[in-house]
Amino acid sequence: KYASNYARLSSNPEQVNSSFTAQEDKYKALRTRQNALLNSTETLVAQQGKYLEKLLARGLQDGEDRLNDYLVQARLGYALSTDRVASASPAENKDYSATIAAYQFFLDHGGESPSRREVMFREAYLKMQQADNLESTATGKNDRSDSLYAEATSLLEKLLKRYPNSSDNDRVLYNLAKAYDHRGDSTAMLDSLDRLAKNYPQSSYID
């Protein structure tokens, strides 16, 4: 049988070459398909890897955002608690220093919280109250009370600059005028009152 096949193939070499060529073409086509499949698989694996990386990064970012939100609320809650305790204490023992520090810590680490504006005003107001309390237990103005009024002035100015269009800026301008008056700056005081009268003619802060 082998001899018969050999004789048949030997008698028709073109058919043999054609058969080998056809087989070779099939092999090349198969190899091409395998390479294409391999490339496609590698691309898919790479895409899946990038997708998983993005998914993991998004999950980590979401977790970090939630943690930051919690910390912001915790800092605000602590500041409000110290505020309530200080406000409820007897007049002769009122000390807002811990509350002021807590509000300042919130401002330093609270980002763009919706409560930021109110905290800025409350801290400025309490610094003025603290200065008044210090003066009531001393012989008059002192360096610490003057420093507190200066800090309150700076906070109120920043508040107006940061939130210029807030509807209740009349209270900010009123307290700013009070702070400047305490510091003996009559020009800045009158300017604050002029802005109050011009921008908020119906304000309850205008006598």
Side-chain angles (χ1 to χ4, degrees):
K1 183 176 181 182
Y2 172 79
S4 174
N5 288 338
Y6 178 78
R8 180 170 58 81
L9 292 173
S10 298
S11 64
N12 195 350
E14 292 181 359
Q15 182 179 0
V16 174
N17 290 335
S18 176
S19 177
F20 277 126
T21 300
Q23 291 298 323
E24 186 177 0
D25 290 341
K26 289 181 180 180
Y27 174 77
K28 289 180 179 179
L30 179 61
R31 174 60 68 182
T32 299
R33 289 171 57 192
Q34 288 177 332
N35 289 336
L37 181 60
L38 179 61
N39 291 335
S40 177
T41 301
E42 291 176 347
T43 300
L44 181 60
V45 169
Q47 291 175 345
Q48 288 295 322
K50 291 180 180 179
Y51 172 75
L52 291 175
E53 288 178 1
K54 290 181 180 179
L55 194 63
L56 178 60
R58 188 182 304 120
L60 291 173
Q61 186 62 53
D62 289 345
E64 184 178 348
D65 290 343
R66 286 194 295 272
L67 177 59
N68 287 335
D69 289 342
Y70 170 78
L71 290 174
V72 167
Q73 292 305 315
R75 292 171 188 134
L76 179 60
Y78 173 73
L80 292 173
S81 295
T82 61
D83 195 345
R84 283 192 291 270
V85 171
S87 298
S89 62
E92 63 274 13
N93 296 324
K94 284 191 184 298
D95 182 2
Y96 293 107
S97 56
T99 304
I100 291 170
Y103 279 136
Q104 186 58 52
F105 187 81
F106 170 83
L107 292 176
D108 291 340
H109 300 88
E112 290 302 321
S113 168
S115 302
R116 185 175 185 84
R117 179 178 178 276
E118 188 60 33
V119 168
M120 289 178 71
F121 177 79
R122 183 62 178 170
E123 183 182 342
Y125 179 80
L126 290 181
K127 285 186 174 184
M128 295 166 65
Q129 290 294 307
Q130 183 79 346
D132 291 344
N133 292 343
L134 289 174
E135 291 177 2
S136 67
T137 58
T139 58
K141 291 186 179 181
N142 55 62
D143 291 342
R144 181 53 185 154
S145 65
D146 287 344
S147 176
L148 284 168
Y149 261 102
E151 292 168 9
T153 302
S154 177
L155 261 179
L156 293 171
E157 289 285 13
K158 289 177 181 178
L159 188 57
L160 290 171
K161 185 175 181 180
R162 193 182 186 102
Y163 308 98
N165 300 317
S166 295
S167 60
D168 60 347
N169 274 347
D170 54 337
R171 63 171 180 166
V172 179
L173 288 167
Y174 175 80
N175 281 276
L176 183 61
K178 179 182 175 181
Y180 278 126
D181 181 41
H182 184 277
R183 297 176 64 191
D185 190 338
S186 57
T187 300
M189 178 198 70
L190 292 174
D191 178 68
S192 298
L193 291 176
D194 285 344
R195 292 163 65 188
L196 171 61
K198 178 180 178 181
N199 297 324
Y200 304 92
Q202 304 302 321
S203 173
S204 60
Y205 290 101
I206 299 177
D207 294 330

